[in-house]
Amino acid sequence: VAVLLFVAAPYVRRYVAGERCKSTARLEGKVVIITGANTGIGKETARDLAQRGKVIMGCRDIPKAEAAASEIRAETGNQQVIVKKLDLADTKSIREFAEKFLAEEKELHILINNAGVMFCPRSKTADGFEMHLGVNHLGHFLLTFLLLERLKQCAPARIVNVSSLAHHGGRIRFHDLHGEKCYSRGLAYCHSKLANVLFTRELARRLQGKFQRQAECTKVTANALHPGSVRSELVRHSLVMTWLWKMMSFFLKTPCEGAQTSIYCAVAEELDSVTGQYFSDCQPAYVSPRGRDDETAKKLWSVSCQLLGIQWD
């Protein structure tokens, strides 16, 4: 048995690692924003894209982000790896980030909404939103809203939303969005990842011009993805999951392997006109029936605008 396990180990690891992004596309003259880029798959996405073009790292923990950026600059030789303060649990911080970015940068071609929280104890953002919904969905919803015109001006452009296979376990509970009646940290995460999928679907529909009946689409695409089960700090709020992740580390992707689908969605030439899709291991993946519910997607869009106090038609 030991011999069989030894022989099989490389094949198992190769299967777990999944597909790699094979695109060699360059991003000279282009600007990428990656949220949560100081650790995990966000950092590895930044490391890869820094070999191709300019990267803005939107992060809450500035010392940690600066250390990551310094490491990436040294490795890639690209000095255009810039850290900017961004706390997705605070709409004031999101607005300040967008305002400063728009004042300092004239280009934006790729927005990767990567940051996220997982299995948080019951808690709220600075604006009173349930933490998973507030950070994973509403924070990125607002950020995308604030930066969308710049993306349109620089089109062709891409929006990449990091979701999860966990969206299959989610529901949009409009009667209890903030988990005040019933709260489960695991389900709250699933709900927020479903929200990512629905947001991507409705955003893509509107960007294609079907909503405003434009003659041409905006040439801004929006796609979502599942990075895989990755060894990262995302499970730090759960002692059980932290223990399981350590026990099962051989069967989990490394952050570099987990970043491959994010990179693929950001740069692959064959996705130039692909929008509103969901990917895993650098290929289209199955979306749950709830993730394909257009009426729920439209209602979530409307409710999100109300919660954030914005008008996004």
Side-chain angles (χ1 to χ4, degrees), residues 5-301:
L5 289 174
F6 179 78
V7 171
Y11 300 98
V12 173
R13 270 304 310 158
R14 196 173 305 159
Y15 174 78
V16 169
E19 295 296 321
R20 296 190 68 86
C21 176
K22 299 179 177 64
S23 173
T24 57
R26 303 294 301 170
L27 299 175
E28 281 91 354
K30 295 190 175 183
V31 178
V32 183
I33 289 177
I34 308 172
T35 67
N38 62 330
T39 189
I41 66 173
K43 180 180 177 182
E44 295 306 320
T45 303
R47 192 192 307 276
D48 180 282
L49 297 186
Q51 299 177 57
R52 307 171 190 251
K54 184 172 183 176
V55 174
I56 308 293
M57 301 168 60
C59 304
R60 179 179 59 84
D61 188 333
I62 296 301
K64 192 171 183 178
E66 288 290 1
S70 179
E71 177 187 320
I72 292 170
R73 290 187 206 109
E75 182 178 317
T76 64
N78 181 3
Q79 297 307 303
Q80 290 191 307
V81 179
I82 301 167
V83 172
K84 292 184 184 292
K85 174 75 173 179
L86 173 61
D87 183 353
L88 287 157
D90 186 347
T91 58
K92 181 181 177 181
S93 174
I94 298 169
R95 290 182 180 279
E96 288 176 351
F97 170 88
E99 184 179 343
K100 290 178 181 178
F101 173 83
L102 294 172
E104 297 169 4
E105 303 286 343
K106 302 306 177 188
E107 304 283 328
L108 178 59
H109 302 87
I110 302 170
L111 171 61
I112 303 179
N113 291 320
N114 164 82
V117 294
M118 184 179 186
F119 299 153
C120 292
R122 185 195 298 269
S123 53
K124 293 185 176 181
T125 68
D127 301 272
F129 307 138
E130 187 279 316
M131 189 62 70
H132 294 89
L133 183 78
V135 172
N136 297 352
H137 169 60
L138 292 172
H140 284 127
F141 187 96
L142 178 60
L143 180 65
T144 305
F145 167 75
L146 296 171
L147 298 177
L148 187 58
E149 286 307 311
R150 184 58 51 85
L151 285 161
K152 288 180 180 179
Q153 292 165 10
C154 299
R158 302 186 186 191
I159 299 165
V160 179
N161 295 324
V162 178
S163 180
S164 169
L165 183 68
H167 85 269
H168 286 269
R171 293 184 63 184
I172 305 302
R173 304 168 70 246
F174 289 108
H175 66 286
D176 190 24
L177 276 178
H178 304 293
E180 293 169 341
K181 298 177 181 177
C182 178
Y183 182 77
S184 160
R185 62 175 72 183
L187 288 177
Y189 175 72
C190 294
H191 300 335
S192 71
K193 294 290 101 178
L194 174 59
N196 292 153
V197 172
L198 292 169
F199 169 47
T200 303
R201 188 176 183 87
E202 180 63 8
L203 177 60
R205 186 182 74 88
R206 290 168 177 249
L207 290 173
Q208 282 181 298
K210 294 177 182 177
F211 180 74
Q212 297 176 329
R213 296 176 183 165
Q214 298 163 324
E216 296 181 1
C217 70
T218 59
K219 296 185 179 177
V220 178
T221 63
N223 290 298
L225 66 100
H226 167 56
S229 298
V230 182
R231 297 199 298 269
S232 73
E233 298 177 9
L234 196 60
V235 297
R236 63 186 179 277
H237 293 293
S238 170
L239 290 175
V240 173
M241 289 302 297
T242 299
W243 180 78
L244 283 173
W245 250 227
K246 287 181 180 178
M247 292 291 292
M248 298 173 59
S249 61
F250 182 80
F251 300 100
L252 299 175
K253 290 185 178 183
T254 65
C256 180
E257 292 163 353
Q260 294 306 306
T261 306
S262 294
I263 298 165
Y264 173 76
C265 288
V267 303
E269 298 89 339
E270 61 266 32
L271 299 187
D272 280 346
S273 59
V274 175
T275 191
Q277 301 301 306
Y278 173 76
F279 294 86
S280 179
D281 277 328
C282 301
Q283 57 191 356
Y286 179 74
V287 178
S288 74
R290 290 193 180 110
R292 289 179 270 122
D293 188 329
D294 288 332
E295 291 308 310
T296 300
K298 292 172 186 175
K299 185 175 180 179
L300 178 63
W301 183 285

